[in-house]
Each structure stands twice: as C-alpha cells, then as structure tokens.
Amino acid sequence: MTWRGTLPAACWEAHEAPAIIPVEAESTSNGVFLATHTSIPILLRDRVDSAVGGTIVNEHNLRRAVEELPADQPIIPILGKSGTGKSHLIRWLRINLKPNGATRLIFVPKHRMSLRGILELILEHATSERAAELRAKVAAASDAAADETTAQLRLRNELAVLVETRGADKDGTPEENDLRAFLASAEGLPALLGDPVFRRRLLADNGPIARLVREKLSGKGAEDKEDAFGFTAADLDLSVDDVSKAGVDAASVASALASDAPLRDLAAKMLNEQLGPAVSEVFGIGGDDLKQLLVELRLDLQRQGLELLLLIEDFSIFQGIQGGLIDAITLLPTETLALCPMRVVMAVTTGYFVNQMPETVYTRTYKVFDLELPADKTAPFDPARFAARYLNAVRVGSQEIDKHRTHDGPEPNHCLRCPVQEKCHQAFGEVEGVGLFPFSRTALDRAIRSQSKSDAFIARDVLTRVLRPVLHRDQTELDEGRFPSTGFESDFRTGALDILDNVEDQVRLRTPGDPELSERRVRMVRFWGPGHGPQNLHPTIHEAFAIPPLPDLITEKQTHLHETVRPGSISPSDETEEAPAGSPSLPPSSPLPAASKPPLVRAVDEWHKTGELLQRHRNDLRNIVHTAVIGYLGLEDGYGGDNGDWTKGGAELAPSFDAKTSIALDGSALQTALISIDHRNVEDVRVLRALAWLNAKESWEDVPQGDALQILCVNRVQEWADSVSTVLLPSEGDDAELGRLAHALLSVSKALGIADSYKGDALSRVKALFAGSPKLADPVQRPHMRKLQDRLVDPKADRNLLQQRLLRLTSYRQGAGKPLAIDLPRLVRAMRDDIAEAPWPEHVPEQIRKAADDIQKRTTMLDPMLDETRRLAPDVSDLGGDVAQVAQALNTLLSDLAALGQSANSINLLALHDAAKSVKPSDLKKVTDLREGLDAWPDLTVDQRLRLMNLDERPALRIRAWLDPTLQAVNALELKLQAGPASEAQREYDETIERLVSGLATLSREVMDVTGPEGGV
C-alpha cells in the first residue's frame, strides 16, 4: 500500500518524461506540443535599432503581426538567447497560422537540416524549368561534397586562398590595414592553414572547420550551439606538441596570435569574411544559388497568383550562404520583376542579428519580437503554471494526448482520476486543477533557482534540468520510498543554501538509528518547507514521501498557504483567468530573517556544508577548543616531581598541547594531532558550533538551546581532555610501545656509532637515544655508511619522528608552557632487553610502526658497508714488524744512499718521516683486530656488526697515509739502482732493498686493492 492506496506512489510513468520533454522540441507531436504550451513573455518593439521602450505582448500578438505584414517590410525577427523559446514560438506559429490556399509555407527547422535539405525544401514548391535545372545542380553538388574529410580539407584550402587574395582590406584604420596585410600575406594565415603540424588543431572535431562541414552535410544536432558556426579568437590560440617541426612562417604567426588577443580577433574576423565564398566553392552551391532559387520560386508563385511564407527556426544554419538568403528576402517586386509577396519570420540570436545582419534587413523589418526583457520591464508570471502543463502531460502520456487531440478534444486532466486529488492539491499545491506533485510551489521555485543564471527564467533549463530529471529519475525512488533522493539534493542544492544550513536544525530532524530516513527528512524540509527551521510539514507530504513526522516538532498544517504571493506572481484567485505573458526572470525568493548568528557560528555552518573554512576562522576555533580542553586537564607544575629521578628534557624535542599543532580541523594532521575534528562528523561539529556560540555570548543562557548543548559540550570536551591526557601525560607501569620505540632508537644510535649505545647500563643507553652522532673520519671513502647515517639523522626522518613519539609518552608540560621533565625511571625500564620484541599495541599509529620497522631493516642490511670497510683496512700481516721499525730501516737506507749520491730525486725523506711519525703504536693492532673481525663477519650478531662498522677508521687511514708514499719511494729507488753498474756495496744495498721490497709487496697490493689504480689518500 502507498499513500495512493493500491496505486503506485508516483502518478506517472518515468519513460513518458523524455517523450514529453525531449532535447529537440520538434520531436514531440503537435498534440503534446499544444498540451504543454504556455505563453512566453515577449517584448514588442517597432524599431530595430532601439534597445529601449517596447510593449509586453504574447504569442497571439506575434501571430497577428505575421498575418498583417506589409509588402515592403516582410521580415519579423524573433530575438533572444539560447533556450529562451524562439524555436517554440516558430513552431507555435506553424500550428496556429491558418494560411489560405493562396499561401505556400516553407518551414526550415534548425536540427538535422543539411545544406542540400534546405535547398530541397524550397525546390519542393518550384515548378518551372529553371527550378528543375537548379534541382539537378543541388543534387550533383551535394553528392560531390558528401565526403566529410575531403570537404574539410577543401574548405581549409579555400580559406587559405581567399584570405591571401581578398583579406587585405584597405578600408580600416592604418593600423588595422597593416595587420590585415600581415595576416593575409603568404607568411600569415595562409601559412598557418597549410602547415601539417597545425593541421590537427585546425581540423579538430570541435573546431570551426569540422563543425561547419558537419552542419552543411548533416545539419545541426541538438548539442550544437544556436550561434552561427565560424571562427572565434579562441580557435586561433593554437598550441601543438612540437612547434620545432612546424614551418618557420606557421610557427611565427601562431606565436604572434597566441600573445596578442586583438590580433586573434582580427584573424577570426578575416576568416569568417571568407566563409561564404569558401562554402560555395567547396559544396558547389552558395549564396548566389540560393538567391536565384528563391527568386525563381517567387516568380513561379507570382504566375500562379500565390504568396510565400518562410518560417526559419534558426537563421544561423544559413552560415556561408546567408548573403543570398538576405538578398532574396529583401528583394521587393517591381514592374519589371514580378515577384510574389513574401513574408519571413526568423528566429535568430540577438548578437547575430545586431552584429552580422546588413542594413537592408533593418529597413525591411516590420516589428521585432524580443524574448530578453530589459530590467525595467516586468510582467506577471507564474513558473508553477509553466511546470503544471508538463506535469499533467507526463501523467497523461503522449499516446493519450494525441488520441484526444485527434478528436479535437482538450487533453484530459489526470488529477481528476486520482483518489487522493483533494489532499494532494491541498498539500502540494495546484494550478487550474493540475497538481504540482511531486513538487510544491516552494520546491519548484528552489529547484528552478538552482539551475538559473542571474535569476533569469530560461524555459529550456527548467524543462531539461528540473522537470525531466526528477520525473524520469525519481519515479522509482518515490515508488520505493527513497525520495527525496540524493540526486535531487545534488542537482538543486544551490537553490536552498540558506535553509536548514546548520547542524542543529538537521539534528532535530533525525530519526535515531536510521540515517537514511534522517537525511531524506532534512531534504524534504529544506526544499518543501517554508524555510522557518525544523518542523513537520503537511501530513500528506510526509505520507507521500514515506517520512513519518516527529512528535516533538510543530506541524505546518497547510504548507502552501504560508507561501506568500510574491511580487510579479499570479495569485491563486487569478489563476482561473487567462494568464498574461510571463516574465523571463524568476520571482524574488522569500526574504530570510536578518542574520543573527555570530561570524564563527556561520563559519562552522559553512564548513559543515562545504568543508571550506577561512584560516582566521580555523585559528579562532582551534584556540576555543584548546582553552576548553585545558580547563579539563587539571595540570599543575611539578607533576610527578616528588620522584627524585626526573631529569630535564630538551624543549625542542618535548611534546606539547597547543592550538596550532595539536588540534586539527578536518583531520589535516591525523598522525600527529591530539584532537581531530571532521566537518562530516555531526557530533563534533555540533560541539564546535556550540563552543563558537558560547565564545560570542559568554553564557550558556544566551546560546540557543543552551541547556542541551552545554551537556553535549561537557561530555565531548571531557573525552577530548582524556584523550590528550592519555597521550600527553606519562602513564604508570611498563609500556610495550615505549619499549619498542626505545629499542628502535637504540639501534639508530648503534648505527651512528654513539659509544653510550654499546654500554651495558640503562642510563648510558638512555643518553644515547638523543645523542648527536660522531662524524666519519673520511666520508668520501665510505659513501654507504655516510648515506645510512645521513638518513638516520635527517630532521624529517624516522629517528626524529620516533624521538617525538617517545617524548610524548615520557615527558610533561603544563598548558602552553615549556616542557618540565622526562620520566627517567619509566624510560630506563623500557630499555630492558626483554621488551625489545614486545607486540605493538593496537593504538599505535601505522606511521610509527612503519618508521620503527624501517629502522630495523636499515640497521640489518649492512653488506654494502662491509665491502667499504674491507677496502679501508689493509692487510698488514706480512709487514714483518710494526710500522715504526720498518720506517726506521727504510729511512736509514735512504739516508745512506743519499750520502753516496744514489738516492732518487723524487723521494722526500722529510715527508716519509712525518707520515711514519703520525702512525700511533696502537694503529697496527687496531687494524689487525678490524681485519680479524671482518673475517668472522658471518658469525657476528647484528650489534657486533654495527659496532664493527663504527670502529675508528683513523688507524687504517694513518697507516695508508704512510704506506702509499713509502711504496712510491721504494719503487723510485729500485729504478735508480738498476740504471748503474753493480758494486759490492751496491749488491749489499740491493739485497737489503730486495728484502724490504719483499716485505712491503704484499702490503702494497692490499693498498692498491683499496685505492684502485689512482692511488693516494
């Protein structure tokens, strides 16, 4: 059962909506057209060149003007913007004009009418031999241009030729003439039109060339604009992927057009000037042919004693051949040219008529009927009357309408057969016995307003954006109890922005436990309600939408009776009379009460609706929340201060509770904020809004619904305070998260080579968690180790994040003051090895867990560092003694040879002495231990490996600093001695050198392995 008994809740079939309200008005039958027709507001002016004055009339005045057109003023233009109803008037004339047998009527529709189709419409009425010749010419020419791609290319080429040969007009200003000469030159527009790189843009599907060709071959589609197709300045703001491949001239003119808007305007004008002759050349027929055809037809009809009536639904479809049409319709009969009388009614956009029609059209115009009313012209108009005609037609159905129209009977009123007619009309409203369900006057007004521009009533927008979507889409939603739908609210939201715009009103309309029903009730009151806040509407509206009223709300007994008759609208008492022509603007909406909400409250309401919040309002709201929460924390100096083991913590590392970083509106800092408030969370928004009220009024007594909101705020602020306390203040006992954090940071300290991290006592380990890292002695030789340490000490890296988190768990501060202390005993307990692998608690953010895991991975992947260390530590096992002994023997040998004049000039004894002196006695032992540790690498623990990687590398560097020049000296000496004759003394020295070289050879190879072919330190 529904509110209509056994009948469906919706009183129409969804499929009838697009049939009654199609995209193209010509798609409906005459019966449907007349069943839905409503008078359209028209401004009648006697002078074409006047934009002031005029009289408001209706379509009947238009019909009488057409019937009385004088022979010397045969033209009536119907002006207006797209969608204002020009085509509708032309069709109404077709149906209601009663031409006698002496009149031939030619109707030129705007949709699906090709160039050939236009000419054939005219040829249907021509019977002369000349007409037969023209008919053959039209057929042959259209067949020749039937290939759309070929026509596009030919039109582009013709435009290039015509611009180059005719474009340099000399009638403008000197500056314009110079620019025309440039654009018309071979290096100007012709170069651009002929360039293969710019071809894709110029021939794009949505470009003027393709659009014009498509129109001439197939006619305009419903999606095409009413204005005449042609070039615009935007079409010439060209860009391509690779300008370097374009011709020099084409690239140059394209660049000039892109940087100069007036030049683009002139270029578009020049191209449009040549469209007519270009179309004639491409399609084989043009304006002259059309003129000859119409003249021949008028001659033929004159011989038969007939007259011609031409109805043009959209004059812009004659683009390219309009000159011939204008010449033909402005041609008057003379004694030597016996033309039949001709009347022309053309629908044309205002801009086209004013800017592109020649003066001859103005002189032949009888009256102008304009659908755009100036601001000083108003007329009574009722949008509900307009909508009711379509609502009834959709309910009746197109077949039923046509059947009654065939029998010359009026279309039936579907409401007369409805079992709930009386209560439906009482609740939703009616116009002349036709109900407005599922709209009401209020809902319809808000829906129309949401789809209107500048409050102008555009008939097409009302039909295709308001009536058809609701009747087609929402019929099922209504039958299944889901109306008003989310689609309804999404489509028409802007028409009711200031109604139920705050969370408190919406909360009062909630049904606990049923959010879907609650949302539908809010939509219902927002669009169908009178705009006075939360309330029950007429019981029938609740029943029709399956939304039960709420017992604690007042009930608006008869919603539509509370809707005032606005200025410019038709009162209910007038609705039985013939409606005068309507106004093209919407009636003003009901005035809302003066804004009394504080600015911050309004800001919260807007934030809840849109998610948008000014930064200054965001800061103010954060401060309000911060102050409220501080009042519930109960902090005091010296918290935990009786414990003698507290120690001061670094202020820059301690956590804090401040408005800017600890409170996030819309979760912009969920990972770090202590309090996060989302504009989609109704309860949080209610609290924020109430606190904004309290901040403005300073007393709950002055806040609307203050008693209830005070309780709500107390509970929620206490929850926020508890949450802050849990994170901000140290807790007692062991903490698995704290243990994991401490050990992750300890691993970092070990990887950084911080000595305290390897000590056994917990206090040293705690110090190591925040200690600075020692620098590598030679970071160039250890790039992998340097990269690891740089990554770990980066202020934005994981170590800093974990330090902040650890301090949040162990430090304390009061309000906005500085950090006071660190709970050292608690932190020391966390350093125990038995909690290093404890499971992470569920509350720990994923970002923290990931940071700790990443640290563990990085501190265990040490193979690259192993290779670096091997290269740093030379093998000194074959040295044959410590460095000092070997250096002393070498220095003695070199000194003796120098005394005999046998030393090499390249050997620097002083440098060798200084390098040997810098080697410390313990260096050899440390390098030996390092090599032994590296050899045992597979058997070492992670901690042992980290410590080995962080052993002091300076001993190995000092040995290498001595060893490299030593080997160079030995090599130089060997070459020197080999060059002279051998003597007994020399043989002794040779033997000594050989033994020394043998002792150093192995070490030399090791060093070369480390340093590579370049050598050196």
Side-chain angles (χ1 to χ4, degrees), residues 318-336:
F318 289 91
Q319 176 75 4
I321 59 172
Q322 72 271 27
L325 176 62
I326 292 171
D327 288 345
I329 64 178
T330 56
L331 191 62
L332 299 179
T334 65
E335 292 183 3
T336 58

Side-chain angles (χ1 to χ4, degrees), residues 266 312-313 384 445 609 664 736 747 775 847 897 906 917 965 990:
L266 178 59
I312 302 173
E313 192 176 17
D445 177 56
K609 288 187 297 183
S747 295
K775 302 294 184 181
Q847 184 181 4
L897 289 174
S906 62
K917 190 177 180 180
D990 288 345

Side-chain angles (χ1 to χ4, degrees), residues 666-801:
D666 258 359
S668 58
L670 278 175
Q671 298 294 341
T672 56
L674 300 184
I675 297 175
S676 182
I677 305 174
D678 195 317
H679 79 281
R680 295 163 296 186
N681 185 308
V682 172
E683 295 306 314
D684 278 357
V685 173
R686 292 184 68 196
V687 172
L688 193 64
R689 187 176 189 273
L691 291 175
W693 264 112
L694 181 63
N695 180 71
K697 298 298 184 181
E698 299 183 352
S699 170
W700 286 111
E701 294 180 357
D702 299 325
V703 174
Q705 306 176 53
D707 292 343
L709 290 177
Q710 182 179 14
I711 297 173
L712 178 69
C713 287
V714 166
N715 294 335
R716 190 66 179 118
V717 173
Q718 183 63 63
E719 291 176 6
W720 285 338
D722 292 343
S723 175
V724 170
S725 297
T726 300
V727 176
L728 189 66
L729 305 181
S731 60
E732 297 299 327
D734 293 336
D735 186 332
E737 179 189 2
L738 185 59
R740 293 296 299 271
L741 290 171
H743 282 84
L745 287 169
L746 189 62
S747 295
V748 174
S749 299
K750 290 177 179 179
L752 294 174
I754 297 171
D756 281 341
S757 65
Y758 292 102
K759 295 180 180 179
D761 65 291
L763 188 57
S764 295
R765 291 183 168 189
V766 169
K767 292 179 181 178
L769 301 184
F770 299 96
S773 63
K775 302 294 184 181
L776 294 173
D778 189 352
V780 175
Q781 298 295 332
R782 306 191 68 186
H784 290 289
M785 195 66 183
R786 181 181 63 181
K787 182 178 179 181
L788 172 64
Q789 294 188 354
D790 288 347
R791 177 68 181 85
L792 293 174
V793 299
D794 187 338
K796 298 181 180 179
D798 296 335
R799 188 193 192 203
N800 184 61
L801 176 66

Side-chain angles (χ1 to χ4, degrees), residues 180-215:
R180 277 182 171 270
F182 162 66
L183 291 173
S185 68
E187 296 79 22
L189 289 176
L192 189 68
L193 289 166
D195 190 86
V197 173
F198 288 95
R199 166 179 172 155
R200 180 179 301 175
R201 282 293 308 275
L202 291 168
L203 298 180
D205 285 344
N206 62 342
I209 292 178
R211 295 195 307 256
L212 188 63
V213 167
R214 190 164 53 246
E215 176 193 325

Side-chain angles (χ1 to χ4, degrees), residues 407-458:
H407 295 89
D408 290 331
E411 63 279 353
N413 181 353
H414 189 271
C415 292
L416 298 177
R417 305 198 300 263
C418 181
V420 295
Q421 176 195 14
E422 183 176 354
K423 66 178 185 178
C424 175
H425 289 188
Q426 185 183 28
F428 290 97
E430 53 83 26
V431 177
E432 297 176 351
V434 175
L436 299 178
F437 174 78
F439 297 97
S440 65
R441 287 184 177 272
T442 300
L444 187 63
D445 177 56
R446 291 168 186 166
I448 293 175
R449 192 172 299 279
S450 72
Q451 303 301 311
S452 302
K453 299 176 182 177
S454 304
D455 280 349
F457 183 90
I458 305 298

Side-chain angles (χ1 to χ4, degrees), residues 169-192:
D169 191 343
K170 301 300 183 183
D171 294 336
T173 64
E175 181 182 3
E176 181 179 336
N177 290 339
D178 289 342
L179 293 175
R180 277 182 171 270
F182 162 66
L183 291 173
S185 68
E187 296 79 22
L189 289 176
L192 189 68

Side-chain angles (χ1 to χ4, degrees), residues 124-348:
E124 285 181 6
H125 301 273
T127 59
S128 67
E129 294 182 3
R130 175 60 179 153
E133 294 174 3
L134 289 171
R135 189 177 289 109
K137 181 178 180 180
V138 167
S142 298
D143 291 340
D147 180 4
E148 191 168 319
T149 300
T150 301
Q152 290 181 17
L153 295 174
R154 290 185 61 196
L155 183 58
R156 181 189 63 163
N157 295 340
E158 286 298 327
L159 284 171
V161 172
L162 290 169
V163 167
E164 186 170 357
T165 57
R166 304 181 184 179
D169 191 343
K170 301 300 183 183
D171 294 336
T173 64
E175 181 182 3
E176 181 179 336
N177 290 339
D178 289 342
L179 293 175
R180 277 182 171 270
F182 162 66
L183 291 173
S185 68
E187 296 79 22
L189 289 176
L192 189 68
L193 289 166
D195 190 86
V197 173
F198 288 95
R199 166 179 172 155
R200 180 179 301 175
R201 282 293 308 275
L202 291 168
L203 298 180
D205 285 344
N206 62 342
I209 292 178
R211 295 195 307 256
L212 188 63
V213 167
R214 190 164 53 246
E215 176 193 325
K216 297 313 172 191
L217 293 178
S218 306
K220 279 191 175 183
E223 71 283 357
D224 291 327
K225 61 181 182 179
E226 287 190 22
D227 292 334
F229 284 152
F231 285 87
T232 65
D235 294 319
L236 297 173
D237 190 2
L238 299 171
S239 62
V240 294
D241 295 334
D242 191 354
V243 178
S244 64
K245 294 182 179 180
V248 175
D249 293 335
S252 176
V253 71
S255 176
L257 290 169
S259 61
D260 190 340
L263 186 64
R264 291 198 299 274
D265 290 331
L266 178 59
K269 179 180 179 181
M270 290 173 61
L271 287 166
N272 289 331
E273 288 171 351
Q274 307 306 326
L275 270 182
V279 167
S280 177
E281 186 65 30
V282 170
F283 292 94
I285 47 178
D288 289 341
D289 296 300
L290 178 59
K291 176 182 178 180
Q292 292 178 24
L293 180 56
L294 278 171
V295 169
E296 184 63 32
L297 176 60
R298 294 182 67 184
L299 290 169
D300 193 7
L301 294 179
Q302 175 64 22
R303 288 191 291 270
Q304 302 175 54
L306 303 175
E307 65 176 19
L308 178 62
L309 173 59
L310 186 60
L311 300 180
I312 302 173
E313 192 176 17
D314 181 3
F315 187 83
S316 69
I317 68 171
F318 289 91
Q319 176 75 4
I321 59 172
Q322 72 271 27
L325 176 62
I326 292 171
D327 288 345
I329 64 178
T330 56
L331 191 62
L332 299 179
T334 65
E335 292 183 3
T336 58
L337 188 64
L339 301 175
C340 77
M342 181 179 182
R343 292 174 290 162
V344 180
V345 182
M346 64 173 75
V348 57

